[in-house]
Amino acid sequence: MQVSLIVPVYNAGKYLEEFLDSVKAQTFTEFEAVFVDDGSTDGSGEKLDEFGEGDSRFKVIHKQNGGVVSAWKRGIAESSGKYLAFADPDDIMAPDMLKRQYDVITETGADIVVNCFNKRLPTITSKKRSANNWKLAEGLYEGEELEKIKNGFFGDREHKRQALRMFRWNKMFKRELITDNLDYTDDSISYGDDICMCAAAVYDCKKLYYLDEALYSYRMHGASITNADYTERETDNMLRLRNAVKRLTDEKGYFLSPAYTARQILWLVRKIGESKFDKKQMKAHLKELKRHSLVKEFKTGTARGYVPRGMLNAVRLLKLGLYSILISHYKI
């Protein structure tokens, strides 16, 4: 089998059927889809069984709930493709997604192909989003050009943000880039679980192709982890993620900018502000965040020059306990 599409599924609900239609509509035929039902309780597992009947390309695996990382790792173990692609069951793939990715990766000799995506919000039309933060042009990156991306992958003084957006679902990988690096992804991580997977693969690749086409539609909705209300577990998750990224960059010999941790902290601050809390509850959560080691260990002095000024000022306000100013300034 040339390509394995790995799909972790947990309570995908009303979006699953539209996603499965997009799998069935793929114009590329030399692929298998490995669906891993991670203990769904809403009937998603039964829908997958029904979908997989009569087509040997579709494999359905049922397991006890263990989290998204355990699901996609199980899917990889049960797959056979020379190349690996990924998708989430509440999103939509363009009919030619796997074909375009496969054609590019085989014709150019790339180890990874990265494509753009559409961001689908419930109330607005889909919008094309770039898959990189450095305004990379479409084309093949190798040698010094690729090494520059790797060296600044998590930011440097010239680039305050990582080079590529680290989603697994807008990429196709040569299999061994993923299987050789599975240990870098902490199974307990629930949000941002694809960061170490993608970064490790990029660090080990020799050729990367950036494809300026939107071939995947990422759905934002209230039931997603991104849009759920903040809980303290998310701060612990961010710390585990930061530690996993630190281990990865240290062992691969690349730089981890303090901007990465600052962006994590600001994401948590905004998440608190966007949750259904009154100002008293917001301040209580911000106070708890301030005491967390993720924030306590962050050194604003050494971060200067790597972190955008506005972001650094926000972290300073949090560390100083100036919650009212933080809430007012960032309109959270």
Side-chain angles (χ1 to χ4, degrees), residues 129-311:
R129 295 299 180 96
S130 171
N132 77 85
N133 296 308
W134 286 13
K135 297 182 179 179
L136 299 174
E138 177 168 332
L140 186 67
Y141 291 82
E142 56 185 324
E144 291 184 7
E145 285 188 320
L146 179 56
E147 199 60 28
K148 184 177 180 181
I149 291 173
K150 293 180 183 182
N151 284 323
F153 198 67
F154 284 102
D156 53 26
R157 286 189 179 274
E158 181 182 356
H159 305 94
K160 302 298 188 286
R161 303 189 67 178
Q162 67 253 22
L164 300 171
R165 298 189 180 190
M166 288 174 281
F167 307 117
R168 61 179 175 271
W169 36 252
N170 69 325
K171 301 172 179 66
M172 183 175 283
F173 306 86
K174 191 174 283 186
R175 182 184 185 86
E176 57 268 26
L177 292 178
I178 301 298
T179 56
D180 289 351
N181 289 300
L182 289 175
D183 185 51
Y184 286 110
T185 300
D186 185 336
D187 286 22
S188 67
I189 291 172
S190 58
Y191 177 78
D193 58 283
D194 34 11
I195 289 176
C196 286
M197 168 206 278
C198 294
V202 171
Y203 285 150
D204 285 358
C205 81
K206 304 299 183 185
K207 295 181 180 182
L208 180 146
Y209 194 96
Y210 181 72
L211 180 62
D212 191 27
E213 296 179 24
L215 301 174
Y216 190 93
S217 292
Y218 168 66
R219 192 193 303 270
M220 299 286 290
H221 57 86
S224 68
I225 293 175
T226 308
N227 288 330
D229 282 347
Y230 169 85
T231 69
E232 290 78 6
R233 291 192 300 271
E234 289 178 282
T235 305
D236 294 332
N237 180 82
M238 284 298 191
L239 179 62
R240 289 194 298 271
L241 180 56
R242 195 282 309 273
N243 290 342
V245 171
K246 182 69 166 60
R247 178 193 162 212
L248 169 65
T249 52
D250 284 351
E251 293 188 8
K252 296 290 186 182
Y254 290 99
F255 177 67
L256 175 61
S257 168
Y260 178 74
T261 304
R263 202 170 298 280
Q264 284 185 306
I265 294 170
L266 191 56
W267 186 90
L268 291 165
V269 168
R270 286 176 171 158
K271 188 69 180 289
I272 290 170
E274 291 167 358
S275 298
K276 299 180 183 69
F277 302 139
D278 58 31
K279 287 196 175 182
K280 183 178 179 180
Q281 291 171 318
M282 283 186 197
K283 288 182 180 180
H285 284 298
L286 290 170
K287 186 175 182 179
E288 196 166 280
L289 177 60
K290 176 195 171 186
R291 293 196 297 259
H292 198 280
S293 59
L294 183 72
V295 177
K296 286 177 65 176
E297 295 170 4
F298 183 83
K299 307 298 182 184
T300 55
T302 57
R304 191 178 295 111
Y306 292 101
V307 182
R309 183 178 299 176
M311 186 184 298

Side-chain angles (χ1 to χ4, degrees), residues 99-136:
K99 186 176 190 309
R100 290 292 295 125
Q101 290 178 331
Y102 180 78
D103 286 349
V104 168
I105 209 167
T106 54
E107 290 171 5
T108 65
D111 301 311
I112 303 173
V113 58
V114 181
N115 54 261
C116 298
F117 59 95
N118 292 315
K119 187 176 182 180
R120 292 163 56 91
L121 299 172
T123 56
I124 65 172
T125 306
S126 296
K127 298 168 63 177
K128 178 182 174 181
R129 295 299 180 96
S130 171
N132 77 85
N133 296 308
W134 286 13
K135 297 182 179 179
L136 299 174

